[in-house]
Each structure stands twice: as C-alpha cells, then as structure tokens.
C-alpha cells in the first residue's frame, strides 16, 4: 500500500474509521495527498464547452465552432482536469515526456471509473489513441493505454509510418494543419458500433478528429471522446 504522495512525498492519510471497517469495502490505494489534490483544477467544478470539455463561459468555444464550420461532427469530449495547471503539467512532464511509467497509477483508477460510468463497456468500444513506433521506441510505452490498462481496449488505429514529427513538438498552427496521422485496417467494419476515443490530453482536437474520420469511414454509428486533461 502506497504511503507517500508521489508529488510532494507527504504522508498519505487513509482515514481508516469504524464506518469503513463495517462497510467491508476494500481500501482504495492513493498516490496523491489531499494537499496536492486540492491544487488540481477539476472540470466538474466549472462551466465547460459541450464540444470539447474545456473551461468555457459559452456553450461552444471558438475551437469547436471552427470544427463545426469544417463540417465535423463534434466529439463532445469529456475531460477530468484542466491541463493548464502547474501540478497537472508537472505530472505530464514526468509521466509522458520523462517516461516515468509508474505515474500512470496516479489517475488510473479515477479515469477508468469515469469512463465506465459515462460510457458503459456493454454499449461502447474503447479505442485508445496510438503512439508512433519512434515514440514507443524512446518511451517504451503508450501513455494512453497506461492510463486505462484495465479497460477492454480495441487497437483499431495505428500511426502512419510516414508520420515523422511528434505531435507534442508542434505549435498550435502546425497541429491544426496536420494531415491524417492514422491508418486502420481497410476491412474494419464498425457498422452500428459506438466508439469511444481515449486520449491523455485534448489540445486542439486535431488528433481525435483524425481518428474520428477513420472510425466514420469504418461505419461507426456514434463516436465520442474522453481525455484525462483539457
């Protein structure tokens, strides 16, 4: 059982009491202390854009209005946390870019339960966004599948072999103008299927909309997305 916060190394208080003892519920392991948890910005506590899940005072943000203008069917992305937060950015720096795979555990249980609750497995097929072969060779893991490793994932997508530059290294303009990143089996038949695309961070939405297009071409009936951060 983990006893110290993965961010600040404070002792984690599990608050074991009589109520828990007589509930016969398993003790849930924690990886972040209450003090650090309070520094995060949960999107459930603020008004968000219905199209992408970002913090927004309007129903559809400018980005989603632009996707609609391009005749894209909105993904109605759901996200748990604001990415533009010091602690969250520090987390992704260590997990995604420095390759600390152990950190997948910090949000894994919460993210998986969020997905199960909003998109039941009996109705939805879970499709993670893949990483390129060159990224995997360096990092040794896909940060997305690490966050949801206990879900029944469908590996329908792969990164095109001619894709050279890593998405996270591009600026906003370059990301928005990226050509199709992915490929899938031409014989893939998703008729009447409901597809949930899963990614770690929603930035411009380009990656997810590329994936959406292929799922549409395969005949998916409905396509939504979910990310840990927005």
């Amino acid at each position: 059982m983990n006893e110290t916060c993965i961010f600040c190394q404070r002792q984690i208080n599990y608050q074991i009491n009589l109520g828990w003892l007589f509930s016969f519920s398993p003790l849930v392991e924690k990886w972040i202390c209450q003090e650090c948890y309070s520094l995060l910005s949960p999107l459930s506590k603020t008004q968000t854009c219905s199209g992408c899940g970002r913090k927004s005072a309007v129903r559809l943000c400018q980005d989603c209005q632009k996707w609609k203008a391009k005749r894209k069917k909105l993904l109605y992305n759901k996200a748990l946390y604001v990415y533009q937060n010091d602690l969250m950015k520090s987390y992704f720096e260590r997990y995604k870019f420095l390759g600390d795979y152990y950190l997948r555990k910090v949000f894994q249980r919460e993210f998986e339960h969020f997905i199960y609750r909003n998109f039941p497995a009996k109705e939805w097929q879970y499709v993670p966004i893949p990483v390129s072969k060159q990224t995997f060779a360096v990092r040794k893991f896909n940060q997305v599948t690490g966050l949801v490793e206990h879900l029944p994932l469908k590996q329908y997508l792969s990164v095109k072999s001619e894709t050279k530059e890593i998405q996270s290294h591009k600026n906003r303009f370059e990301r928005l103008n990226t050509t199709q990143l992915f490929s899938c089996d031409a014989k893939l038949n998703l008729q009447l299927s409901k597809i949930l695309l899963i990614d770690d961070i929603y930035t411009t939405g380009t990656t997810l909309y590329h994936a959406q297009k292929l799922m549409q071409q395969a005949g998916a009936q409905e396509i939504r997305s979910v990310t840990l951060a927005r």
Side-chain angles (χ1 to χ4, degrees):
M1 184 67 67
N2 183 56
E3 296 181 352
T4 57
C5 176
I6 211 160
F7 289 117
C8 69
Q9 285 73 56
R10 290 189 186 96
Q11 191 77 14
I12 290 179
N13 182 6
Y14 280 94
Q15 297 180 334
I16 296 174
N17 53 39
L18 288 176
W20 173 79
L21 287 173
F22 288 106
S23 71
F24 301 103
S25 300
L27 188 62
V28 177
E29 191 166 21
K30 298 179 182 179
W31 302 94
I32 179 172
C33 68
Q34 189 58 43
E35 288 84 351
C36 285
Y37 191 81
S38 68
L39 297 176
L40 295 169
S41 300
L43 283 162
S44 61
K45 296 182 178 180
T46 186
Q47 185 176 349
T48 60
C49 167
S50 62
C52 64
R54 77 186 301 173
K55 187 176 180 180
S56 173
V58 295
R59 188 179 67 84
L60 279 184
C61 69
Q62 289 187 352
D63 282 359
C64 288
Q65 290 178 36
K66 290 178 181 177
W67 286 119
K68 284 195 71 175
K70 293 180 179 180
R71 298 186 178 181
K72 295 288 186 181
K73 189 172 182 179
L74 294 180
L75 287 164
Y76 297 104
N77 184 72
K78 289 184 178 293
L80 275 73
Y81 294 101
V82 174
Y83 175 67
Q84 295 299 331
N85 168 279
D86 289 343
L87 194 67
M88 184 58 73
K89 287 196 288 186
S90 173
Y91 167 76
F92 275 110
E93 177 66 24
R94 291 173 57 188
Y95 174 53
K96 186 173 180 177
F97 302 113
L98 297 182
D100 191 346
Y101 189 56
Y102 188 74
L103 289 178
R104 74 193 188 282
K105 295 177 178 291
V106 175
F107 298 106
Q108 188 182 79
R109 184 176 185 276
E110 181 183 13
F111 194 33
E112 289 177 340
H113 282 210
F114 180 81
I115 291 171
Y116 270 132
R117 185 170 65 252
N118 289 281
F119 304 94
K122 63 181 180 181
E123 299 176 19
W124 295 82
Q125 294 189 48
Y126 303 140
V127 180
I129 296 299
V131 296
S132 66
K133 289 182 179 179
Q134 57 264 42
T135 296
F136 192 87
V138 173
R139 194 180 295 156
K140 306 301 182 185
F141 66 90
N142 178 341
Q143 76 281 357
V144 180
T145 56
L147 289 170
V148 290
E149 63 182 340
H150 301 112
L151 301 188
L153 303 175
K154 303 291 186 181
Q155 304 289 350
Y156 291 147
L157 298 167
S158 59
V159 178
K160 283 185 174 182
S161 58
E162 64 265 29
T163 301
K164 300 296 182 183
E165 190 175 355
I166 299 172
Q167 281 291 95
S168 59
H169 291 176
K170 297 178 180 179
N171 61 36
R172 181 178 179 80
F173 177 82
E174 290 170 335
R175 289 177 69 98
L176 285 169
N177 289 278
T178 301
T179 55
Q180 177 60 265
L181 297 166
F182 307 117
S183 62
C184 66
D185 189 340
K187 297 180 181 179
L188 180 64
N189 185 351
L190 297 175
Q191 293 293 330
L192 304 181
S193 297
K194 297 171 72 172
I195 299 296
L196 180 69
L197 300 171
I198 304 174
D199 207 353
D200 55 345
I201 308 169
Y202 185 119
T203 49
T204 63
T206 304
T207 298
L208 288 164
Y209 279 105
H210 280 320
Q212 180 202 55
K213 184 174 182 178
L214 291 180
M215 297 296 95
Q216 287 173 332
Q217 292 173 347
Q221 178 183 22
E222 187 174 355
I223 307 165
R224 298 288 182 88
S225 66
V226 64
T227 56
L228 176 62
R230 172 65 173 100

